[in-house]
Amino acid sequence: MNATPIFKKVALIGFGLIGGSIARAARAQGLAGEIVTTARSAKTRARVAELGIVDRVAETNAEAVRDADLVILCIPVGACGPVAREIAPHLKAGAIVSDVGSVKGAVVRDMAPHLPASAHFVPAHPVAGTEHSGPDSGFAELFINRWCILTPPQGTDPSAVDRLRAFWTRLGARVEIMTPDHHDMVLAITSHLPHLIAYTIVGTADELGQVTSSEVINFSAGGFRDFTRIAASDPTMWRDVFLANKDAVLEMLGTFNEDLSKLTRAIRRGDGEALFEHFTRTRAIRRGIVDIGQDSAAPDFGRPLANLTREPE
């Protein structure tokens, strides 16, 4: 373990899968002198205190961020603006304020106007997760070899960006920097549209009157099981994602519908050559993802900690 803290105090607002994983990994790697968290629900705050994986559980957002060097909002993107307005008067000068939302344009628009000039705003998106949520769902290995995308607004202090990059790197992530708009377009196709398709397919199966619920559950093939895993994601978070990134999602959905129409025509016409060519191309994409280490046959849980101490890239 690298025991040199990057921040004296880290405040986490919200404590679900991502917040809990940050707390566990940061503690394991000694990245903070003190980790303080809070959550909207008193039940969640009590459970975090029972788990004993942070130094202190605060009752309010204002209390949590006081004197913090790094503040990370681990909450649905729709709540980021109001929380930024709430915590702004309580931020210390020089504090870095970040988030973990999978939409960045809306987060920048909603948060930036409320934050004081003395704070450094560096939005972030760790591209990692499971279908589980709540304070017990996090684990320290979640970010290992996963991407974390930083989207600092123009004019952000480079040293603040470098410190946050170092933090995420020591959590195990590979860090990339993008503009907020480019991030939202990329994630619309790689994350948001797949979730929308998964929610649709699972919902369609549920609505089929001739297939009973037990049959859907009992005879689920691997592909359908993958869709149910994605469709089990936090509904509040994904409602906010689609509303916040609607323009990019609708653009990608239009392209998808065009491609789906081509496949529909190929099936209707019995055009096996067109189907084979399409499936061959998409198979190559999957192999490319595995080859660069972004996925494997191994489950996410239990990834080794070996690479956590490497230096920032």
Side-chain angles (χ1 to χ4, degrees):
M1 181 182 76
N2 189 332
T4 304
I6 296 178
F7 298 100
K8 290 182 179 179
K9 176 181 175 181
V10 173
L12 303 172
I13 298 180
F15 204 89
L17 169 67
I18 301 298
S21 295
I22 292 172
R24 289 170 170 91
R27 169 169 278 192
Q29 296 305 306
L31 302 186
E34 181 186 19
I35 301 174
V36 177
T37 191
T38 188
R40 183 180 60 179
S41 163
K43 180 179 179 181
T44 299
R45 295 195 299 270
R47 179 55 183 157
V48 175
E50 290 174 1
L51 291 170
I53 53 179
V54 299
D55 297 292
R56 185 163 56 89
V57 179
E59 293 296 312
T60 66
N61 295 336
E63 179 188 351
V65 306
R66 193 168 291 119
D67 296 322
D69 304 287
L70 173 62
V71 176
I72 305 179
L73 276 58
C74 307
I75 56 179
V77 294
C80 285
V83 170
R85 182 173 59 247
E86 178 187 356
I87 66 174
H90 308 283
L91 295 170
K92 68 179 287 188
I96 296 173
V97 180
S98 190
D99 75 309
V100 296
S102 70
V103 178
K104 299 270 70 87
V107 164
V108 170
R109 289 192 299 271
D110 291 348
M111 289 184 64
H114 302 297
L115 298 176
S118 59
H120 306 294
F121 182 33
V122 188
H125 175 206
V127 188
T130 73
E131 72 271 30
H132 303 292
S133 59
D136 292 275
S137 61
F139 54 103
E141 301 84 5
L142 178 64
F143 309 112
I144 296 179
N145 290 329
R146 296 298 190 246
W147 286 104
C148 181
I149 302 172
L150 307 184
T151 62
Q154 189 172 7
T156 302
D157 185 347
S159 64
V161 178
D162 289 343
R163 290 184 74 194
L164 191 61
R165 176 196 284 270
F167 180 80
W168 277 106
T169 299
R170 283 175 56 183
L171 291 182
R174 303 167 65 184
V175 179
E176 182 65 72
I177 295 178
M178 297 181 184
T179 66
D181 288 345
H182 185 65
H183 166 279
D184 289 353
M185 187 61 69
V186 171
L187 269 293
I189 188 61
T190 61
S191 175
H192 305 166
L193 184 59
H195 275 80
L196 187 64
I197 294 168
Y199 282 122
T200 303
I201 289 177
V202 175
T204 299
D206 182 59
E207 294 169 2
L208 287 175
Q210 67 270 33
V211 179
T212 68
S213 176
S214 62
E215 286 174 329
V216 170
I217 294 172
N218 290 338
F219 302 119
S220 293
F224 186 76
R225 288 196 300 272
D226 286 343
F227 279 124
T228 61
R229 177 184 59 79
I230 297 172
S233 300
D234 181 13
T236 299
M237 179 184 77
W238 282 100
R239 175 202 63 194
D240 287 0
V241 165
F242 289 123
L243 293 177
N245 199 29
K246 65 179 181 180
D247 290 340
V249 170
L250 288 172
E251 182 176 340
M252 293 300 106
L253 187 60
T255 301
F256 172 78
N257 284 332
E258 291 175 5
D259 290 342
L260 187 60
S261 296
K262 294 177 184 176
L263 289 176
T264 300
R265 288 194 298 271
I267 294 172
R268 182 177 293 119
R269 296 169 182 173
D271 189 346
E273 183 176 347
L275 294 173
F276 183 81
E277 185 279 330
H278 184 83
F279 299 156
T280 300
R281 178 164 55 87
T282 55
R283 185 186 191 191
I285 293 172
R286 167 62 184 176
R287 288 179 172 175
I289 291 173
V290 173
D291 288 345
I292 65 173
Q294 285 301 292
D295 204 354
S296 71
D300 281 348
F301 284 89
R303 286 199 299 268
L305 288 164
N307 294 326
L308 268 177
T309 56
R310 70 181 189 275
E311 292 302 312
E313 297 175 356

